[in-house]
Amino acid sequence: MQTDDSLVVLFTGDLLLDRGVRTAMSAHPADWLLADVAPVLRSADATVANLECPLTSVSTPLGKRYVFRGDTCMASMLRRAGITHATLANNHSNDQGAQGLQSTLNVLSRAGIVPMGCDTVSNDTSHLITPTVISKAGLHVALFPAVLLSLENWMPRSGALSPIQPSLSQLTRSIRTYSTRHPSHHIVCILHWGVEFQPHASLTQISQATVLAHAGADAIIGHHPHVVQPPRPHDLIPTYYSLGGFAFDQHHPTTCRGAVARLVVRHDSLSASLLPIRIRSCRPEWER
């Protein structure tokens, strides 16, 4: 339970609202999908979901194997469940092109959800990433969402809207600059990275996490592998390499387990823990 001297932020893994999830939802009221986890999500000061599909009526699919599109009406369901922020820094938010991405921003904003993790493309290599800041009673958490993967069939022109896909050096420079300007703020990186279905972080992820920790990050939240990749004993900061799925339609036993990360921020500390979930019929439920 949060108190006045703390800021509690929850982070979910992959949230899909198409394919098998759409089919499962069609047999139930809209709020069924997140009904089990919603009371806890709503109890936090903020809940950040990794939205793995555009929410748009626009149909301009990219030429790739897996292309998703969720119904626009689902945004209000997410907000009722307690989701306050949605990161679009992943490899599916652009599935319906830049127009579908812009539509998703609009849909989320109208529902009262803060979209983050996308920006207009800049050819200026010195361009700094602007974080999304969550604040409460003098406490501040700066969120830096980023895709550290290549994006299939995606080469947006300068000035077009795109998921944030920085180089590691650009991300570290942005974190260092922000940390210098806001020394009392806690910095959290939300990274779409890693290798799908691998139970442990890759050497690349471990190396990147070390660089980001030295740059000033206070915690790292990851997703994309679809399975939980746990922290390592020697990590410099709380590092959840992958939270696995949240609401998803994969059926292998390892993909039916996930976690929600819980960060508790106080003026002089940041603590982190995992809340395990099981995914049954695409629906997240707390482990009991």
Side-chain angles (χ1 to χ4, degrees):
M1 179 180 296
Q2 70 268 35
T3 61
D4 289 341
D5 65 346
S6 67
L7 171 60
V8 177
V9 185
L10 302 180
F11 299 83
T12 83
D14 301 332
L15 171 60
L16 177 64
L17 296 171
D18 196 9
R19 204 170 59 185
V21 181
R22 181 196 292 267
T23 300
M25 291 180 67
S26 67
H28 301 276
D31 290 339
W32 165 86
L33 183 69
L34 302 182
D36 190 76
V37 296
V40 174
L41 302 188
R42 289 194 292 260
S43 73
D45 294 303
T47 296
V48 181
N50 174 48
L51 183 58
E52 281 276 301
C53 62
L55 301 181
T56 178
S57 58
V58 172
S59 181
T60 52
L62 294 187
K64 51 189 288 197
R65 183 176 180 183
Y66 298 110
V67 179
F68 301 135
R69 180 166 64 92
D71 290 336
T72 58
C73 63
M74 291 297 98
S76 58
M77 177 273 292
L78 299 180
R79 187 64 191 89
R80 288 194 300 273
I83 292 172
T84 60
H85 296 68
T87 176
L88 304 176
N90 59 59
N91 62 317
H92 283 294
S93 63
N94 60 336
D95 278 2
Q96 301 297 327
Q99 186 179 355
L101 185 57
Q102 181 62 64
S103 174
T104 304
L105 263 69
N106 298 340
V107 166
L108 291 171
S109 297
R110 285 197 297 269
I113 296 173
V114 178
M116 59 186 192
C118 55
D119 199 357
T120 54
V121 176
S122 173
N123 291 331
D124 180 4
T125 58
S126 66
H127 175 72
L128 295 177
I129 300 168
T130 301
T132 296
V133 180
I134 299 174
S135 300
K136 172 190 172 184
L139 298 167
H140 308 280
V141 176
L143 306 179
F144 282 84
V147 184
L148 298 185
L149 302 167
S150 60
L151 297 178
E152 186 180 358
N153 279 359
W154 185 250
M155 295 184 65
R157 66 186 184 281
S158 179
L161 190 65
S162 174
I164 294 175
Q165 189 184 18
S167 65
L168 184 62
S169 61
Q170 183 185 9
L171 182 56
T172 55
R173 186 170 64 250
S174 298
I175 290 170
R176 286 195 186 100
T177 300
Y178 187 87
S179 180
T180 299
R181 294 174 179 172
H182 306 278
S184 66
H185 292 201
H186 295 269
I187 294 174
V188 178
C189 294
I190 306 174
L191 304 179
H192 209 68
W193 62 346
V195 182
E196 290 184 312
F197 309 116
Q198 296 303 304
H200 299 285
S202 68
L203 293 177
T204 298
Q205 286 171 278
I206 295 168
S207 174
Q208 290 170 335
T210 302
V211 169
L212 294 170
H214 284 300
D218 296 297
I220 295 173
I221 307 293
H223 29 65
H224 175 66
H226 302 299
V227 296
V228 175
Q229 292 180 337
R232 301 165 59 254
H234 303 299
D235 291 329
L236 299 177
I237 57 176
T239 304
Y240 300 122
Y241 292 96
S242 174
L243 297 178
F246 180 60
F248 223 85
D249 63 353
Q250 292 168 330
H251 302 295
H252 190 277
T254 59
T255 65
C256 293
R257 290 180 177 271
V260 171
R262 184 176 188 265
L263 300 190
V264 180
V265 174
R266 294 184 172 87
H267 287 286
D268 57 352
S269 67
L270 180 150
S271 60
S273 59
L274 286 182
L275 308 176
I277 61 170
R278 277 187 177 272
I279 303 171
R280 294 184 172 91
S281 300
C282 303
R283 181 179 187 256
E285 300 176 359
W286 300 118
E287 285 271 23
R288 294 178 173 86

